[in-house]
Amino acid sequence: MAKKWNVSTVKAAKGKEKLVMVTAYDALFAKLFAPYVDMLLVGDSLNMIFAGRPDTLSATMEQMLYHTQAVCAGAPDSFVIFDMPYGSYTSKETALANALRVYKETAADCVKLEGGSEKAEIIHHLVQNGIAVMGHIGLKPQSVRAEGGYKVVRQIDGLLEDAKALENAGVFAMVLEGTQSDIAKEVCQAVSVPVIGIGAGKDVDGQVLVWSDMLGFFEDFKPKFVKRYMDGASLVKEAMERYAREVKEGIFPDKDHSY
Ligand code: KIV
């Protein structure tokens, strides 16, 4: 059966239907999320959430391929996005070689990469070679060290040019991260492809959140744009506390849970 969402249906959703996207890093959660969302993003945020690293910069192709294979296995009917890790698209040749690996070694539908006008030529090269590309502009987590932190974009300067450059390069959609809502609205209106926001307000074509943020598993801090739909950390702690107590007190396993 053909997937409900593909590059064409995602593109055609602009102005008609809000797109729902969430990150997924493994088969178990991908399967749980799949029925409710339009797209699953194997984001390089997994380097922080899953691997416990301080930022996304040390994520590797191998790591991203491994997690993408798991997500595709768990949600075979879902539209899956492969996030190109830092350093994997520094030139047209490197980008194409790595993107070809994505299509050959996983069932991902497209790749996503961070950058504006400066990446347009690379994106165009990928598109010309049959790779579907989702852009990512605004706050770019892979630039955290170069920028000296995660900075919300509060000025339109350069952003419209970036969005237009990506559109002209052939992206079918783009993520717009950490951008003041009124500016995000302008960007969204200026391009013909869907703009998926994260921390970019409501006047965009869809939303993406990191799963562990929205389900309340990540407790260290909560950015303003994150809405917690569940208190995952408390639920896990309560369950673990109960399990540990029941084992210590000889309550578990009881007859119902023994052969
Ligand atoms: O890696 C990721 O999770 C992302 C989202 C923040 C859009 O790129």
Side-chain angles (χ1 to χ4, degrees):
M1 199 182 73
K3 292 182 180 186
K4 177 181 175 205
W5 290 101
N6 56 52
V7 167
S8 308
T9 53
V10 169
K11 211 169 161 180
K14 184 157 179 115
K16 298 198 182 81
E17 178 180 355
K18 292 268 189 187
L19 293 161
V20 185
M21 184 162 136
V22 73
T23 63
Y25 311 137
D26 62 51
L28 182 69
F29 278 92
K31 189 174 177 183
L32 282 172
F33 301 159
Y36 307 100
V37 301
D38 304 325
M39 291 178 277
L40 292 172
L41 167 65
V42 188
D44 62 355
S45 51
L46 68 80
N47 199 48
M48 300 165 80
I49 307 302
F50 188 89
R53 308 297 290 269
D55 55 38
T56 60
L57 303 194
S58 55
T60 63
M61 275 301 291
E62 268 57 38
Q63 194 183 353
M64 298 304 298
L65 288 164
Y66 173 81
H67 285 278
T68 303
Q69 285 159 354
V71 167
C72 292
D77 298 329
S78 290
F79 186 91
V80 174
I81 301 147
F82 179 100
D83 209 4
M84 298 285 280
Y86 180 63
S88 68
Y89 51 98
T90 48
S91 68
K92 288 197 282 188
E93 294 71 27
T94 315
L96 183 57
N98 283 318
L100 289 176
R101 279 194 75 188
V102 175
Y103 271 2
K104 286 179 189 293
E105 297 176 37
T106 80
D109 294 276
C110 71
V111 301
K112 172 170 90 58
L113 57 86
E114 295 182 14
S117 316
E118 79 288 358
K119 288 284 184 279
E121 212 183 311
I122 290 174
I123 292 171
H124 185 61
H125 187 59
L126 295 183
V127 173
Q128 279 198 316
N129 281 280
I131 311 281
V133 182
M134 178 179 278
H136 183 152
I137 55 172
L139 188 159
K140 300 181 290 280
Q142 291 179 9
S143 302
V144 61
R145 296 190 204 169
E147 297 280 332
Y150 299 103
K151 299 193 177 139
V152 174
V153 177
R154 300 193 184 278
Q155 304 220 323
I156 191 100
D157 304 344
L159 201 55
L160 276 181
E161 290 74 12
D162 282 341
K164 280 285 186 198
L166 294 196
E167 181 184 22
N168 292 334
V171 301
F172 70 95
M174 64 185 86
V175 166
L176 179 60
E177 181 166 355
T179 299
Q180 204 172 283
S181 307
D182 54 333
I183 294 172
K185 183 178 179 182
E186 260 194 77
V187 171
C188 185
Q189 286 171 345
V191 291
S192 64
V193 296
V195 174
I196 321 284
I198 172 163
K202 68 176 186 56
D203 294 316
V204 286
D205 301 305
Q207 297 292 330
V208 55
L209 282 174
V210 170
W211 78 268
S212 45
D213 286 341
M214 62 163 296
L215 296 185
F217 284 93
F218 183 72
E219 289 185 296
D220 296 0
F221 66 92
K222 192 187 85 60
K224 181 166 192 251
F225 66 85
V226 170
K227 179 169 177 182
R228 285 189 179 147
Y229 285 86
M230 183 178 133
D231 192 355
S234 299
L235 291 173
V236 168
K237 287 180 202 173
E238 276 164 33
M240 282 299 163
E241 188 273 327
R242 212 171 123 211
Y243 167 59
R245 186 170 39 77
E246 290 192 0
V247 171
K248 296 276 185 204
E249 294 174 2
I251 296 169
F252 176 82
D254 54 13
K255 265 194 8 225
D256 288 347
H257 299 95
S258 303
Y259 294 108

